[in-house]
Amino acid sequence: MSTLPGLRLAAALCLITTAVNLQAPYYDALAAHDGFGATATGVAFACYVLGILPVLLLGGGLPERFGRRALIAVALGLCLAATLLTLIAPGVITLGLARLLMGIASALTAASAPGYMRALMPAGDGRRATAWVTASTSLGFGLGAALTSLSLLREPSLTPPSLWGYLLAASLALAGLWRLRDDSPVTSGAVRIRLPAYPPGAATFGAAILLAWATVGLVIALLPGVLERHALSAWSGFATLGICSGGVLFQPLARRLAPATSVRLGLAILPLTYALIAWGALEGQLLAVLLGTLGASSACYGFLYLGGLSGVLETAGDRPDRASAGFFLLAYLGFSVPVVVTGGLMERLGQAGALTAFGVTLFGACLLVATRLWRQQQRAGLATRDPA
């Protein structure tokens, strides 16, 4: 079977996630433009989850009703609309609305992309399909922010040219998407509510990705404000590129590991690399920040993302769409809610106090989840040796 259909889908997935962080390097500028601070930035950032939750909670039956290709196309259309909106009326309120639309797009993608990619790949190649999904989305999450940072280093603006370039690229991806086949069964009845599913052991993988994407969300939404006091905020897009897309380099290694082993390794790396990021940002050490984000990405988008999603899909049986929706539901809760809490703490405890509180919580939570996962592995090993 040709890999060209998979590449077309991967390009569409990459463009969907590219839209999500296009505006990240100038969040603070948008807030200042409207007279707001860190809390407003965190709330606008978290509007993303308001679009995600209803779709992931109640829209599990959408792929069966409309088909997976149609949902990916709608997601691309929403990203185009959101980007155009921030070009027409830049501001923190518009940013919140745009992130709401992008949240809906991401949820539609999360609910349909893993199953769609598996259907386009040769039978029995589920790990490869998962790797393509995680690689393309990881690259996109960082690519948009990096392109905007390049634009801002050349000339500060609330409407950088990277947004116009995105509109062109996403339009081309949308046109190519319609040539993909979609053999998923489509029903003619009403949309059935299909809640996210958590097969045995899947919730632990979900907790791990929640912690990972909480760290990613903090770097994207709040780190530019910390770097601003050292006049380094224009470089924040490269930190976003590092923490989102650097993990692609580690996914080949993660594919060779058992899912639980991959996730446990990621949980060991995450707190240490976060500490380097926080110290570098507070001290104005850009190299430390960039190295820390690359290291954190090995956990967040390498070992935890690929290992966690692979582990969930291995237990999903005939419910891959619902199981992946459950995984991404926890991921996006982590991506948004801790950002709001930490942003509020920054205005009460200061930047150093808030980043320290997040780090202590992250360390304790990683230890708990890793212990839980180890116990699950032990029980699974006993069951394999003694099936009776």
Side-chain angles (χ1 to χ4, degrees), residues 126-165:
R127 289 297 296 274
R128 184 185 183 194
T130 303
W132 280 40
V133 171
T134 56
S136 59
T137 53
S138 299
L139 179 62
F141 276 127
L143 183 61
L147 292 174
T148 296
S149 271
L150 285 174
S151 299
L152 295 178
L153 286 171
R154 181 180 179 183
E155 182 181 359
S157 172
L158 295 181
T159 56
S162 57
L163 274 66
W164 292 107

PDB file of all heavy atoms in Angstrom, residues 126-165:
ATOM      1  N   GLY A 126       0.134  -0.609  13.211  1.00  0.00           N
ATOM      2  CA  GLY A 126      -0.443   0.387  14.095  1.00  0.00           C
ATOM      3  C   GLY A 126       0.582   1.292  14.743  1.00  0.00           C
ATOM      4  O   GLY A 126       0.353   2.499  14.894  1.00  0.00           O
ATOM      5  N   ARG A 127       1.753   0.749  15.136  1.00  0.00           N
ATOM      6  CA  ARG A 127       2.770   1.591  15.764  1.00  0.00           C
ATOM      7  C   ARG A 127       3.302   2.639  14.789  1.00  0.00           C
ATOM      8  O   ARG A 127       3.580   3.774  15.177  1.00  0.00           O
ATOM      9  CB  ARG A 127       3.922   0.727  16.288  1.00  0.00           C
ATOM     10  CG  ARG A 127       3.610  -0.126  17.496  1.00  0.00           C
ATOM     11  CD  ARG A 127       3.264   0.711  18.713  1.00  0.00           C
ATOM     12  NE  ARG A 127       4.347   1.524  19.179  1.00  0.00           N
ATOM     13  CZ  ARG A 127       5.298   1.118  20.033  1.00  0.00           C
ATOM     14  NH1 ARG A 127       5.296  -0.123  20.485  1.00  0.00           N
ATOM     15  NH2 ARG A 127       6.242   1.945  20.438  1.00  0.00           N
ATOM     16  N   ARG A 128       3.452   2.266  13.518  1.00  0.00           N
ATOM     17  CA  ARG A 128       3.915   3.230  12.523  1.00  0.00           C
ATOM     18  C   ARG A 128       2.884   4.338  12.328  1.00  0.00           C
ATOM     19  O   ARG A 128       3.237   5.522  12.217  1.00  0.00           O
ATOM     20  CB  ARG A 128       4.187   2.523  11.205  1.00  0.00           C
ATOM     21  CG  ARG A 128       4.776   3.426  10.122  1.00  0.00           C
ATOM     22  CD  ARG A 128       4.902   2.659   8.823  1.00  0.00           C
ATOM     23  NE  ARG A 128       5.520   3.468   7.778  1.00  0.00           N
ATOM     24  CZ  ARG A 128       5.523   3.153   6.491  1.00  0.00           C
ATOM     25  NH1 ARG A 128       4.969   2.011   6.095  1.00  0.00           N
ATOM     26  NH2 ARG A 128       6.102   3.922   5.597  1.00  0.00           N
ATOM     27  N   ALA A 129       1.618   3.968  12.272  1.00  0.00           N
ATOM     28  CA  ALA A 129       0.563   4.970  12.123  1.00  0.00           C
ATOM     29  C   ALA A 129       0.569   5.941  13.300  1.00  0.00           C
ATOM     30  O   ALA A 129       0.445   7.160  13.130  1.00  0.00           O
ATOM     31  CB  ALA A 129      -0.798   4.283  12.004  1.00  0.00           C
ATOM     32  N   THR A 130       0.706   5.412  14.509  1.00  0.00           N
ATOM     33  CA  THR A 130       0.756   6.268  15.693  1.00  0.00           C
ATOM     34  C   THR A 130       1.955   7.203  15.619  1.00  0.00           C
ATOM     35  O   THR A 130       1.862   8.390  15.964  1.00  0.00           O
ATOM     36  CB  THR A 130       0.838   5.408  16.963  1.00  0.00           C
ATOM     37  OG1 THR A 130      -0.281   4.519  16.998  1.00  0.00           O
ATOM     38  CG2 THR A 130       0.818   6.278  18.205  1.00  0.00           C
ATOM     39  N   ALA A 131       3.096   6.692  15.165  1.00  0.00           N
ATOM     40  CA  ALA A 131       4.295   7.515  15.056  1.00  0.00           C
ATOM     41  C   ALA A 131       4.092   8.655  14.064  1.00  0.00           C
ATOM     42  O   ALA A 131       4.552   9.782  14.297  1.00  0.00           O
ATOM     43  CB  ALA A 131       5.487   6.650  14.633  1.00  0.00           C
ATOM     44  N   TRP A 132       3.416   8.401  12.953  1.00  0.00           N
ATOM     45  CA  TRP A 132       3.159   9.462  11.976  1.00  0.00           C
ATOM     46  C   TRP A 132       2.264  10.547  12.561  1.00  0.00           C
ATOM     47  O   TRP A 132       2.473  11.733  12.314  1.00  0.00           O
ATOM     48  CB  TRP A 132       2.534   8.862  10.712  1.00  0.00           C
ATOM     49  CG  TRP A 132       3.520   8.219   9.793  1.00  0.00           C
ATOM     50  CD1 TRP A 132       4.596   7.455  10.159  1.00  0.00           C
ATOM     51  CD2 TRP A 132       3.542   8.284   8.368  1.00  0.00           C
ATOM     52  NE1 TRP A 132       5.270   7.023   9.045  1.00  0.00           N
ATOM     53  CE2 TRP A 132       4.651   7.517   7.931  1.00  0.00           C
ATOM     54  CE3 TRP A 132       2.727   8.881   7.419  1.00  0.00           C
ATOM     55  CZ2 TRP A 132       4.970   7.357   6.585  1.00  0.00           C
ATOM     56  CZ3 TRP A 132       3.024   8.715   6.077  1.00  0.00           C
ATOM     57  CH2 TRP A 132       4.142   7.971   5.669  1.00  0.00           C
ATOM     58  N   VAL A 133       1.262  10.143  13.313  1.00  0.00           N
ATOM     59  CA  VAL A 133       0.365  11.125  13.933  1.00  0.00           C
ATOM     60  C   VAL A 133       1.128  11.972  14.937  1.00  0.00           C
ATOM     61  O   VAL A 133       1.039  13.216  14.935  1.00  0.00           O
ATOM     62  CB  VAL A 133      -0.832  10.425  14.604  1.00  0.00           C
ATOM     63  CG1 VAL A 133      -1.645  11.429  15.428  1.00  0.00           C
ATOM     64  CG2 VAL A 133      -1.721   9.771  13.556  1.00  0.00           C
ATOM     65  N   THR A 134       1.871  11.339  15.815  1.00  0.00           N
ATOM     66  CA  THR A 134       2.585  12.094  16.848  1.00  0.00           C
ATOM     67  C   THR A 134       3.681  12.972  16.248  1.00  0.00           C
ATOM     68  O   THR A 134       3.888  14.106  16.693  1.00  0.00           O
ATOM     69  CB  THR A 134       3.181  11.138  17.893  1.00  0.00           C
ATOM     70  OG1 THR A 134       4.023  10.170  17.255  1.00  0.00           O
ATOM     71  CG2 THR A 134       2.083  10.414  18.655  1.00  0.00           C
ATOM     72  N   ALA A 135       4.383  12.470  15.221  1.00  0.00           N
ATOM     73  CA  ALA A 135       5.450  13.270  14.610  1.00  0.00           C
ATOM     74  C   ALA A 135       4.887  14.507  13.904  1.00  0.00           C
ATOM     75  O   ALA A 135       5.409  15.619  14.068  1.00  0.00           O
ATOM     76  CB  ALA A 135       6.245  12.418  13.628  1.00  0.00           C
ATOM     77  N   SER A 136       3.835  14.334  13.126  1.00  0.00           N
ATOM     78  CA  SER A 136       3.289  15.464  12.362  1.00  0.00           C
ATOM     79  C   SER A 136       2.669  16.511  13.282  1.00  0.00           C
ATOM     80  O   SER A 136       2.852  17.716  13.076  1.00  0.00           O
ATOM     81  CB  SER A 136       2.258  14.970  11.347  1.00  0.00           C
ATOM     82  OG  SER A 136       1.196  14.284  11.977  1.00  0.00           O
ATOM     83  N   THR A 137       1.950  16.082  14.315  1.00  0.00           N
ATOM     84  CA  THR A 137       1.343  17.053  15.226  1.00  0.00           C
ATOM     85  C   THR A 137       2.392  17.727  16.101  1.00  0.00           C
ATOM     86  O   THR A 137       2.305  18.924  16.370  1.00  0.00           O
ATOM     87  CB  THR A 137       0.270  16.380  16.095  1.00  0.00           C
ATOM     88  OG1 THR A 137       0.826  15.230  16.746  1.00  0.00           O
ATOM     89  CG2 THR A 137      -0.920  15.945  15.252  1.00  0.00           C
ATOM     90  N   SER A 138       3.410  16.981  16.535  1.00  0.00           N
ATOM     91  CA  SER A 138       4.485  17.575  17.343  1.00  0.00           C
ATOM     92  C   SER A 138       5.226  18.646  16.548  1.00  0.00           C
ATOM     93  O   SER A 138       5.516  19.731  17.063  1.00  0.00           O
ATOM     94  CB  SER A 138       5.473  16.497  17.789  1.00  0.00           C
ATOM     95  OG  SER A 138       4.852  15.522  18.582  1.00  0.00           O
ATOM     96  N   LEU A 139       5.541  18.347  15.299  1.00  0.00           N
ATOM     97  CA  LEU A 139       6.231  19.321  14.460  1.00  0.00           C
ATOM     98  C   LEU A 139       5.393  20.581  14.297  1.00  0.00           C
ATOM     99  O   LEU A 139       5.899  21.703  14.399  1.00  0.00           O
ATOM    100  CB  LEU A 139       6.533  18.704  13.096  1.00  0.00           C
ATOM    101  CG  LEU A 139       7.237  19.613  12.090  1.00  0.00           C
ATOM    102  CD1 LEU A 139       8.602  20.021  12.606  1.00  0.00           C
ATOM    103  CD2 LEU A 139       7.372  18.911  10.735  1.00  0.00           C
ATOM    104  N   GLY A 140       4.100  20.421  14.067  1.00  0.00           N
ATOM    105  CA  GLY A 140       3.238  21.580  13.870  1.00  0.00           C
ATOM    106  C   GLY A 140       3.127  22.461  15.096  1.00  0.00           C
ATOM    107  O   GLY A 140       3.168  23.697  14.995  1.00  0.00           O
ATOM    108  N   PHE A 141       3.017  21.877  16.277  1.00  0.00           N
ATOM    109  CA  PHE A 141       2.873  22.665  17.498  1.00  0.00           C
ATOM    110  C   PHE A 141       4.036  23.643  17.682  1.00  0.00           C
ATOM    111  O   PHE A 141       3.854  24.738  18.199  1.00  0.00           O
ATOM    112  CB  PHE A 141       2.786  21.741  18.722  1.00  0.00           C
ATOM    113  CG  PHE A 141       1.410  21.206  18.997  1.00  0.00           C
ATOM    114  CD1 PHE A 141       1.202  19.843  19.130  1.00  0.00           C
ATOM    115  CD2 PHE A 141       0.329  22.054  19.139  1.00  0.00           C
ATOM    116  CE1 PHE A 141      -0.068  19.339  19.384  1.00  0.00           C
ATOM    117  CE2 PHE A 141      -0.944  21.567  19.391  1.00  0.00           C
ATOM    118  CZ  PHE A 141      -1.145  20.201  19.517  1.00  0.00           C
ATOM    119  N   GLY A 142       5.233  23.242  17.274  1.00  0.00           N
ATOM    120  CA  GLY A 142       6.376  24.137  17.425  1.00  0.00           C
ATOM    121  C   GLY A 142       6.653  25.003  16.220  1.00  0.00           C
ATOM    122  O   GLY A 142       7.183  26.111  16.347  1.00  0.00           O
ATOM    123  N   LEU A 143       6.276  24.525  15.045  1.00  0.00           N
ATOM    124  CA  LEU A 143       6.620  25.225  13.812  1.00  0.00           C
ATOM    125  C   LEU A 143       5.970  26.603  13.731  1.00  0.00           C
ATOM    126  O   LEU A 143       6.621  27.590  13.359  1.00  0.00           O
ATOM    127  CB  LEU A 143       6.195  24.377  12.609  1.00  0.00           C
ATOM    128  CG  LEU A 143       6.544  24.925  11.228  1.00  0.00           C
ATOM    129  CD1 LEU A 143       8.048  25.076  11.070  1.00  0.00           C
ATOM    130  CD2 LEU A 143       5.980  24.021  10.135  1.00  0.00           C
ATOM    131  N   GLY A 144       4.705  26.699  14.089  1.00  0.00           N
ATOM    132  CA  GLY A 144       4.012  27.976  13.986  1.00  0.00           C
ATOM    133  C   GLY A 144       4.661  29.050  14.849  1.00  0.00           C
ATOM    134  O   GLY A 144       4.870  30.188  14.403  1.00  0.00           O
ATOM    135  N   ALA A 145       4.986  28.709  16.089  1.00  0.00           N
ATOM    136  CA  ALA A 145       5.606  29.681  16.992  1.00  0.00           C
ATOM    137  C   ALA A 145       6.981  30.110  16.493  1.00  0.00           C
ATOM    138  O   ALA A 145       7.347  31.288  16.580  1.00  0.00           O
ATOM    139  CB  ALA A 145       5.713  29.079  18.395  1.00  0.00           C
ATOM    140  N   ALA A 146       7.751  29.162  15.960  1.00  0.00           N
ATOM    141  CA  ALA A 146       9.084  29.500  15.472  1.00  0.00           C
ATOM    142  C   ALA A 146       9.013  30.447  14.269  1.00  0.00           C
ATOM    143  O   ALA A 146       9.785  31.416  14.173  1.00  0.00           O
ATOM    144  CB  ALA A 146       9.844  28.232  15.093  1.00  0.00           C
ATOM    145  N   LEU A 147       8.093  30.193  13.357  1.00  0.00           N
ATOM    146  CA  LEU A 147       7.948  31.064  12.195  1.00  0.00           C
ATOM    147  C   LEU A 147       7.540  32.476  12.606  1.00  0.00           C
ATOM    148  O   LEU A 147       8.024  33.472  12.041  1.00  0.00           O
ATOM    149  CB  LEU A 147       6.924  30.475  11.222  1.00  0.00           C
ATOM    150  CG  LEU A 147       7.343  29.181  10.518  1.00  0.00           C
ATOM    151  CD1 LEU A 147       6.186  28.623   9.693  1.00  0.00           C
ATOM    152  CD2 LEU A 147       8.560  29.409   9.635  1.00  0.00           C
ATOM    153  N   THR A 148       6.667  32.572  13.602  1.00  0.00           N
ATOM    154  CA  THR A 148       6.267  33.895  14.080  1.00  0.00           C
ATOM    155  C   THR A 148       7.423  34.598  14.772  1.00  0.00           C
ATOM    156  O   THR A 148       7.603  35.820  14.634  1.00  0.00           O
ATOM    157  CB  THR A 148       5.064  33.769  15.024  1.00  0.00           C
ATOM    158  OG1 THR A 148       3.952  33.250  14.290  1.00  0.00           O
ATOM    159  CG2 THR A 148       4.674  35.128  15.603  1.00  0.00           C
ATOM    160  N   SER A 149       8.224  33.864  15.542  1.00  0.00           N
ATOM    161  CA  SER A 149       9.394  34.478  16.177  1.00  0.00           C
ATOM    162  C   SER A 149      10.354  35.041  15.136  1.00  0.00           C
ATOM    163  O   SER A 149      10.907  36.137  15.306  1.00  0.00           O
ATOM    164  CB  SER A 149      10.118  33.453  17.060  1.00  0.00           C
ATOM    165  OG  SER A 149       9.587  33.454  18.367  1.00  0.00           O
ATOM    166  N   LEU A 150      10.563  34.298  14.051  1.00  0.00           N
ATOM    167  CA  LEU A 150      11.413  34.817  12.979  1.00  0.00           C
ATOM    168  C   LEU A 150      10.859  36.124  12.430  1.00  0.00           C
ATOM    169  O   LEU A 150      11.610  37.069  12.168  1.00  0.00           O
ATOM    170  CB  LEU A 150      11.531  33.776  11.865  1.00  0.00           C
ATOM    171  CG  LEU A 150      12.438  32.574  12.135  1.00  0.00           C
ATOM    172  CD1 LEU A 150      12.320  31.558  10.999  1.00  0.00           C
ATOM    173  CD2 LEU A 150      13.884  33.009  12.297  1.00  0.00           C
ATOM    174  N   SER A 151       9.554  36.189  12.268  1.00  0.00           N
ATOM    175  CA  SER A 151       8.924  37.414  11.766  1.00  0.00           C
ATOM    176  C   SER A 151       9.090  38.566  12.750  1.00  0.00           C
ATOM    177  O   SER A 151       9.379  39.701  12.359  1.00  0.00           O
ATOM    178  CB  SER A 151       7.437  37.162  11.508  1.00  0.00           C
ATOM    179  OG  SER A 151       7.245  36.157  10.536  1.00  0.00           O
ATOM    180  N   LEU A 152       8.937  38.281  14.052  1.00  0.00           N
ATOM    181  CA  LEU A 152       9.010  39.337  15.065  1.00  0.00           C
ATOM    182  C   LEU A 152      10.428  39.829  15.274  1.00  0.00           C
ATOM    183  O   LEU A 152      10.637  41.003  15.626  1.00  0.00           O
ATOM    184  CB  LEU A 152       8.431  38.828  16.381  1.00  0.00           C
ATOM    185  CG  LEU A 152       6.936  38.506  16.372  1.00  0.00           C
ATOM    186  CD1 LEU A 152       6.501  37.964  17.719  1.00  0.00           C
ATOM    187  CD2 LEU A 152       6.107  39.736  16.003  1.00  0.00           C
ATOM    188  N   LEU A 153      11.417  38.954  15.103  1.00  0.00           N
ATOM    189  CA  LEU A 153      12.806  39.401  15.215  1.00  0.00           C
ATOM    190  C   LEU A 153      13.151  40.388  14.103  1.00  0.00           C
ATOM    191  O   LEU A 153      13.987  41.278  14.279  1.00  0.00           O
ATOM    192  CB  LEU A 153      13.750  38.201  15.164  1.00  0.00           C
ATOM    193  CG  LEU A 153      13.794  37.337  16.438  1.00  0.00           C
ATOM    194  CD1 LEU A 153      14.587  36.066  16.176  1.00  0.00           C
ATOM    195  CD2 LEU A 153      14.407  38.121  17.593  1.00  0.00           C
ATOM    196  N   ARG A 154      12.490  40.217  12.984  1.00  0.00           N
ATOM    197  CA  ARG A 154      12.721  41.151  11.876  1.00  0.00           C
ATOM    198  C   ARG A 154      11.991  42.467  12.110  1.00  0.00           C
ATOM    199  O   ARG A 154      12.563  43.540  11.893  1.00  0.00           O
ATOM    200  CB  ARG A 154      12.247  40.520  10.569  1.00  0.00           C
ATOM    201  CG  ARG A 154      12.457  41.389   9.350  1.00  0.00           C
ATOM    202  CD  ARG A 154      11.971  40.692   8.086  1.00  0.00           C
ATOM    203  NE  ARG A 154      12.144  41.522   6.918  1.00  0.00           N
ATOM    204  CZ  ARG A 154      11.762  41.184   5.695  1.00  0.00           C
ATOM    205  NH1 ARG A 154      11.202  39.996   5.488  1.00  0.00           N
ATOM    206  NH2 ARG A 154      11.953  42.006   4.678  1.00  0.00           N
ATOM    207  N   GLU A 155      10.736  42.362  12.569  1.00  0.00           N
ATOM    208  CA  GLU A 155       9.948  43.582  12.812  1.00  0.00           C
ATOM    209  C   GLU A 155       8.794  43.257  13.764  1.00  0.00           C
ATOM    210  O   GLU A 155       7.927  42.451  13.421  1.00  0.00           O
ATOM    211  CB  GLU A 155       9.389  44.140  11.507  1.00  0.00           C
ATOM    212  CG  GLU A 155       8.592  45.431  11.694  1.00  0.00           C
ATOM    213  CD  GLU A 155       8.032  45.949  10.377  1.00  0.00           C
ATOM    214  OE1 GLU A 155       8.275  45.315   9.327  1.00  0.00           O
ATOM    215  OE2 GLU A 155       7.341  46.985  10.411  1.00  0.00           O
ATOM    216  N   PRO A 156       8.751  43.879  14.947  1.00  0.00           N
ATOM    217  CA  PRO A 156       7.634  43.645  15.877  1.00  0.00           C
ATOM    218  C   PRO A 156       6.304  44.027  15.236  1.00  0.00           C
ATOM    219  O   PRO A 156       6.199  45.027  14.535  1.00  0.00           O
ATOM    220  CB  PRO A 156       7.960  44.559  17.071  1.00  0.00           C
ATOM    221  CG  PRO A 156       9.439  44.783  16.981  1.00  0.00           C
ATOM    222  CD  PRO A 156       9.761  44.780  15.512  1.00  0.00           C
ATOM    223  N   SER A 157       5.291  43.200  15.466  1.00  0.00           N
ATOM    224  CA  SER A 157       3.990  43.436  14.842  1.00  0.00           C
ATOM    225  C   SER A 157       2.921  42.612  15.550  1.00  0.00           C
ATOM    226  O   SER A 157       3.222  41.554  16.114  1.00  0.00           O
ATOM    227  CB  SER A 157       4.038  43.059  13.359  1.00  0.00           C
ATOM    228  OG  SER A 157       2.753  43.113  12.773  1.00  0.00           O
ATOM    229  N   LEU A 158       1.693  43.096  15.524  1.00  0.00           N
ATOM    230  CA  LEU A 158       0.554  42.314  16.008  1.00  0.00           C
ATOM    231  C   LEU A 158      -0.071  41.490  14.882  1.00  0.00           C
ATOM    232  O   LEU A 158      -0.968  40.685  15.138  1.00  0.00           O
ATOM    233  CB  LEU A 158      -0.503  43.239  16.622  1.00  0.00           C
ATOM    234  CG  LEU A 158      -0.083  43.994  17.888  1.00  0.00           C
ATOM    235  CD1 LEU A 158      -1.239  44.856  18.395  1.00  0.00           C
ATOM    236  CD2 LEU A 158       0.384  43.050  18.981  1.00  0.00           C
ATOM    237  N   THR A 159       0.412  41.685  13.669  1.00  0.00           N
ATOM    238  CA  THR A 159      -0.063  40.900  12.512  1.00  0.00           C
ATOM    239  C   THR A 159       1.144  40.443  11.692  1.00  0.00           C
ATOM    240  O   THR A 159       1.333  40.882  10.561  1.00  0.00           O
ATOM    241  CB  THR A 159      -1.019  41.725  11.635  1.00  0.00           C
ATOM    242  OG1 THR A 159      -0.360  42.933  11.229  1.00  0.00           O
ATOM    243  CG2 THR A 159      -2.291  42.073  12.395  1.00  0.00           C
ATOM    244  N   PRO A 160       1.981  39.574  12.238  1.00  0.00           N
ATOM    245  CA  PRO A 160       3.203  39.162  11.542  1.00  0.00           C
ATOM    246  C   PRO A 160       2.902  38.406  10.254  1.00  0.00           C
ATOM    247  O   PRO A 160       1.852  37.761  10.113  1.00  0.00           O
ATOM    248  CB  PRO A 160       3.893  38.254  12.566  1.00  0.00           C
ATOM    249  CG  PRO A 160       2.798  37.779  13.460  1.00  0.00           C
ATOM    250  CD  PRO A 160       1.822  38.903  13.534  1.00  0.00           C
ATOM    251  N   PRO A 161       3.818  38.458   9.289  1.00  0.00           N
ATOM    252  CA  PRO A 161       3.587  37.801   7.990  1.00  0.00           C
ATOM    253  C   PRO A 161       3.490  36.287   8.079  1.00  0.00           C
ATOM    254  O   PRO A 161       2.997  35.655   7.138  1.00  0.00           O
ATOM    255  CB  PRO A 161       4.802  38.224   7.155  1.00  0.00           C
ATOM    256  CG  PRO A 161       5.822  38.707   8.134  1.00  0.00           C
ATOM    257  CD  PRO A 161       5.072  39.250   9.290  1.00  0.00           C
ATOM    258  N   SER A 162       3.933  35.682   9.174  1.00  0.00           N
ATOM    259  CA  SER A 162       3.807  34.233   9.312  1.00  0.00           C
ATOM    260  C   SER A 162       2.345  33.793   9.267  1.00  0.00           C
ATOM    261  O   SER A 162       2.038  32.684   8.817  1.00  0.00           O
ATOM    262  CB  SER A 162       4.444  33.765  10.628  1.00  0.00           C
ATOM    263  OG  SER A 162       3.861  34.421  11.739  1.00  0.00           O
ATOM    264  N   LEU A 163       1.434  34.665   9.702  1.00  0.00           N
ATOM    265  CA  LEU A 163       0.010  34.319   9.685  1.00  0.00           C
ATOM    266  C   LEU A 163      -0.518  34.272   8.254  1.00  0.00           C
ATOM    267  O   LEU A 163      -1.327  33.395   7.910  1.00  0.00           O
ATOM    268  CB  LEU A 163      -0.795  35.312  10.523  1.00  0.00           C
ATOM    269  CG  LEU A 163      -0.881  35.000  12.024  1.00  0.00           C
ATOM    270  CD1 LEU A 163       0.483  35.105  12.700  1.00  0.00           C
ATOM    271  CD2 LEU A 163      -1.881  35.938  12.712  1.00  0.00           C
ATOM    272  N   TRP A 164      -0.039  35.196   7.407  1.00  0.00           N
ATOM    273  CA  TRP A 164      -0.453  35.163   6.002  1.00  0.00           C
ATOM    274  C   TRP A 164       0.097  33.927   5.310  1.00  0.00           C
ATOM    275  O   TRP A 164      -0.601  33.292   4.502  1.00  0.00           O
ATOM    276  CB  TRP A 164       0.032  36.427   5.280  1.00  0.00           C
ATOM    277  CG  TRP A 164      -0.635  37.679   5.739  1.00  0.00           C
ATOM    278  CD1 TRP A 164      -0.098  38.671   6.512  1.00  0.00           C
ATOM    279  CD2 TRP A 164      -1.984  38.081   5.468  1.00  0.00           C
ATOM    280  NE1 TRP A 164      -1.028  39.663   6.740  1.00  0.00           N
ATOM    281  CE2 TRP A 164      -2.189  39.332   6.112  1.00  0.00           C
ATOM    282  CE3 TRP A 164      -3.033  37.506   4.750  1.00  0.00           C
ATOM    283  CZ2 TRP A 164      -3.395  40.013   6.045  1.00  0.00           C
ATOM    284  CZ3 TRP A 164      -4.245  38.188   4.684  1.00  0.00           C
ATOM    285  CH2 TRP A 164      -4.425  39.418   5.328  1.00  0.00           C
ATOM    286  N   GLY A 165       1.326  33.576   5.609  1.00  0.00           N
ATOM    287  CA  GLY A 165       1.897  32.364   5.033  1.00  0.00           C
ATOM    288  C   GLY A 165       1.135  31.123   5.449  1.00  0.00           C
ATOM    289  O   GLY A 165       0.954  30.190   4.649  1.00  0.00           O
TER     290      GLY A 165
END
